[in-house]
């Protein structure tokens, strides 16, 4: 998948003269309102999609390796137009003309401008899609508006083949200069925030369309990012999403070819992220976590934007995504046996089934919720997520915790633990299991302006450092041999273990061997 416009710099030779200066990504706001900008987008697509691959002879437009095409990365007139003063002036002029022509009284219809903006976006999607289908003749699926979960974006997504989204936990902000140090971070736990990522992306799914997340990450150096495996893998599986793409492997060749420190978004030099992906693979791709039993939908209709504005989904509706599948149904559409609720109206919860009402009330009262499958426990008060499936046992916690077959003692800072069957058999009968122990990983020389690590002043570099942890691991399972692994998968020696009363115990001490120990292999004859 790729964006047909992301961050391409517009230069004078492009011939876009609607404004006299491009300072950023004005193209995202110009294309829906400027024929010249739209024509430039089309010409770029022709060059990109119709040029033959010299090895295969196929142009990208016909290459089956292209699953879907995104019209523009993170666009949307409602959000993008106000970001660029010179572009906004064009919109203001066009709105004034439209309002006069259609006799619109903004005092009576305060959200009429929002609907007009959204209608411009829909027309832009329709024309770009027509161009790709009729002139480029690609069969790739089309997507767009791959961020934000709002009424406006939902209404536009009806015109797409695939719904896509982007979200990050603790994305950096820049107190002095954009994309330059120092960076600011919140250093918050996603578990304590009720699985904020991925929960806030769940509502955007439109029933009847594939749903993917092509950008997600728990940004380094957030100290809680070991939670990512359980949260992303567990809940993407519970929601039965169709695809996950971590952003990013590397922003350039040097990040792959030259070993360096870890940092920001890239996982090429981040063993913690790479190991988290192994856990996510088991939970989501292999399907160790079952899809939720049942589903509900938020009902969004064409006039809602003009009536209520461009609001997001109610928080209580997103909380239900921790229990069952949630998403959106548009206008008069129906989807199988999924009931829809007008969640943007007051008292929408009065029609909820009793089990959902009780689950929501209990979660708001206690901060604790178990998925409808019984496999995922989230406890925001204790800062714990526990996943209990036959083939995978996962815990993310900041202190001693237990869940399912797995318990850990001696936890003094945020860590994650996962026991994964490698032969596909349940943990209780598996002959070969991988145990992963993740703690915070940082670079030598990484520095912060304060003790809370909220202002990063230097990334540092190699060597990578893992925060020391010595944790007593207990698993309710038959006895097994435990061996430490190097990060290349080779064995780094036996680990003492005990077995008593049906419980296997061993110490996961990441600092006892050279090179740090993050993985173990458990075997039975």
């Amino acid at each position: 998948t790729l964006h047909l416009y992301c961050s391409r710099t517009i230069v004078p030779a492009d011939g876009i003269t609607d404004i006299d200066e491009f300072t950023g990504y004005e193209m995202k706001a110009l294309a829906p309102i400027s024929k010249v900008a739209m024509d430039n987008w089309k010409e770029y697509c022709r060059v990109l999609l119709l040029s033959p691959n010299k090895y295969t002879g196929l142009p990208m437009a016909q290459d089956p390796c292209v699953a879907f095409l995104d019209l523009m990365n993170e666009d949307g007139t409602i959000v993008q137009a106000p970001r660029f003063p010179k572009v906004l002036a064009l919109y203001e002029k066009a709105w004034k003309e439209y309002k006069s022509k259609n006799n619109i009284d903004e005092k009576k219809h305060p959200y009429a401008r929002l609907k007009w903006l959204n209608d411009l976006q829909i027309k832009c999607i329709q024309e770009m899609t027509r161009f790709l289908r009729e002139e480029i003749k690609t069969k790739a699926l089309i997507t767009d508006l791959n961020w934000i979960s709002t009424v406006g974006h939902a209404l536009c997504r009806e015109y797409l083949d695939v719904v896509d989204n982007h979200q990050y936990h603790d994305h950096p902000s820049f107190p002095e200069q954009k994309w330059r140090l120092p960076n600011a971070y919140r250093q918050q736990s996603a578990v304590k925030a009720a699985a904020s990522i991925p929960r806030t992306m769940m509502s955007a799914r439109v029933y009847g369309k594939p749903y993917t997340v092509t950008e997600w990450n728990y940004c380094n150096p957030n100290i809680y990012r070991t939670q990512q495996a359980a949260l992303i893998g567990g809940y993407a599986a519970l929601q039965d999403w169709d695809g996950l793409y971590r952003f990013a492997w590397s922003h350039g060749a040097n990040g792959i070819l030259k070993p360096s420190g870890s940092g920001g978004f890239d996982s090429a030099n981040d063993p913690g992220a790479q190991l988290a992906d192994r856990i996510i693979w088991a939970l989501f791709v292999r399907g160790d976590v079952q899809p939720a039993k049942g589903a509900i939908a938020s009902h969004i209709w064409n006039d809602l934007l003009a009536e209520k504005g461009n609001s997001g989904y109610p928080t209580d509706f997103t909380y239900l995504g921790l229990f069952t599948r949630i998403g959106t149904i548009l206008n008069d559409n129906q989807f199988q046996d999924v009931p829809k609720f007008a969640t943007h109206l007051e008292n929408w919860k009065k029609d909820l089934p009793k089990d959902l009402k009780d689950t929501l009330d209990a979660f708001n009262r206690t901060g604790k919720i178990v998925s409808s499958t019984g496999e995922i426990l989230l406890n925001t008060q204790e800062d714990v997520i526990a996943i209990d499936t036959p083939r995978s046992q996962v815990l993310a916690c900041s202190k001693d915790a237990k869940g399912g077959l797995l318990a850990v003692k001696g936890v003094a800072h945020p860590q994650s633990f996962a026991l994964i069957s490698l032969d596909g058999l349940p943990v209780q009968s598996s002959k070969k299991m991988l145990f992963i122990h993740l703690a915070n990983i940082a670079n030598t020389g990484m520095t912060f302006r304060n003790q809370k690590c909220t202002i990063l002043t230097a990334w540092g570099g190699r060597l990578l450092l893992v925060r020391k942890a010595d944790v007593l691991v207990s698993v309710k399972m038959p006895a097994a041999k435990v061996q430490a692994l190097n990060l290349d998968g080779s064995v780094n020696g036996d680990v003492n273990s005990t077995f008593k009363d049906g419980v296997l115990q061993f110490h996961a001490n990441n600092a006892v061997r050279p090179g740090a120990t993050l993985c173990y292999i458990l075997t039975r004859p």
Side-chain angles (χ1 to χ4, degrees), residues 275 279 393-395 406-408 416-422 432-438 471-475 482-485 506-509 517-522:
L275 289 171
I279 302 170
Q393 298 285 310
V394 183
L395 267 178
L406 183 62
V408 290
S416 284
F417 310 86
L419 180 64
I420 301 167
S421 165
L422 296 181
K432 189 176 183 182
M433 292 154 280
L434 177 66
F435 185 82
I436 297 175
H437 174 203
L438 297 177
V471 176
L472 178 63
V473 177
S474 301
V475 190
V482 182
Q483 294 175 296
L485 296 179
F506 64 95
H507 276 266
N509 187 336
T517 302
L518 307 183
C519 302
Y520 303 79
I521 192 80
L522 279 65

Side-chain angles (χ1 to χ4, degrees), residues 480-484 493-497 504-506 520-523:
K481 182 179 182 180
V482 182
Q483 294 175 296
D494 294 346
V495 176
N496 291 331
S497 63
L504 174 73
Q505 287 190 329
F506 64 95
Y520 303 79
I521 192 80
L522 279 65
T523 55

Side-chain angles (χ1 to χ4, degrees), residues 52-69:
N53 180 324
K54 67 178 182 179
Y55 298 102
T56 66
L58 283 175
M60 200 179 296
Q62 275 76 54
D63 197 319
C65 78
V66 179
F68 54 95
L69 296 168

Side-chain angles (χ1 to χ4, degrees), residues 443-478:
N443 299 328
T444 298
M446 180 178 279
T447 59
F448 296 87
R449 190 173 287 173
N450 54 34
Q451 290 294 317
K452 293 183 178 180
C453 300
T454 57
I455 304 294
L456 176 72
T457 53
W459 280 109
R462 304 284 257 199
L463 296 170
L464 300 180
L465 306 173
V466 61
R467 187 167 182 182
K468 290 183 178 181
D470 183 2
V471 176
L472 178 63
V473 177
S474 301
V475 190
K476 295 177 182 177
M477 57 177 263

Side-chain angles (χ1 to χ4, degrees), residues 116-340:
W116 170 74
L117 284 169
N118 220 52
D119 287 344
L120 286 177
Q121 186 65 50
I122 290 171
K123 290 176 182 176
C124 180
I125 290 170
Q126 289 175 319
E127 173 55 21
M128 288 178 167
T129 301
R130 182 208 64 77
F131 168 78
L132 292 171
R133 290 280 181 259
E134 296 180 7
E135 299 185 39
I136 299 298
K137 300 189 183 304
T138 182
K139 295 181 180 179
L141 301 177
I142 305 300
T143 190
D144 195 32
L145 299 167
N146 48 2
W147 66 323
I148 304 179
S149 302
T150 61
V151 170
H153 271 36
L155 292 169
C156 292
R157 284 167 172 150
E158 184 164 21
Y159 300 89
L160 304 172
D161 300 321
V162 176
V163 178
D164 184 41
N165 220 335
H166 298 168
Q167 286 293 324
Y168 295 89
H169 179 65
D170 214 353
H171 191 289
S173 58
F174 309 99
E176 296 181 10
Q177 186 178 356
K178 287 194 74 172
W179 298 107
R180 294 289 184 271
L181 292 174
N183 292 358
Y185 300 88
R186 293 170 297 163
Q187 293 296 357
Q188 293 177 341
S189 162
V191 171
K192 283 188 175 181
S196 52
I197 305 297
R199 173 176 54 84
T200 52
M201 295 187 284
M202 294 175 182
S203 307
R205 171 231 238 114
V206 175
Y207 286 104
K209 296 179 184 289
Y211 186 57
T212 61
V213 178
T214 56
E215 285 189 33
W216 68 269
N217 212 329
Y218 286 59
C219 296
N220 191 351
N222 180 277
I223 63 172
Y224 295 94
R225 66 187 185 279
T226 63
Q227 299 170 343
Q228 62 187 302
L231 290 170
I232 289 287
Y235 285 118
L238 184 77
Q239 290 298 314
D240 199 22
W241 290 351
D242 295 290
L244 293 172
Y245 300 62
R246 179 194 289 277
F247 184 87
W249 179 250
S250 179
H251 272 66
N254 282 344
I256 301 170
L257 302 175
K258 293 174 60 177
S260 60
S262 62
F265 301 88
D266 292 355
S267 55
N269 289 289
D270 187 343
Q274 293 182 39
L275 289 171
D277 284 347
R278 268 73 173 169
I279 302 170
I280 294 168
W281 177 87
L283 301 178
F284 174 66
V285 179
R286 188 169 72 174
D288 288 7
V289 170
Q290 301 175 64
K293 299 175 181 177
I296 60 170
S298 172
H299 181 208
I300 292 179
W301 55 94
N302 282 335
D303 292 332
L304 183 61
L305 185 63
E307 296 168 0
K308 295 291 182 179
N310 193 37
S311 60
Y313 293 78
T315 300
D316 275 354
F317 180 70
T318 71
Y319 284 162
L320 288 172
L322 305 174
F323 177 75
T324 190
R325 284 179 291 143
I326 65 171
T328 298
I329 292 179
L330 300 167
N331 297 308
D332 295 329
N333 297 335
Q334 305 290 332
F335 186 76
Q336 296 175 359
D337 298 320
V338 179
K340 54 186 180 181

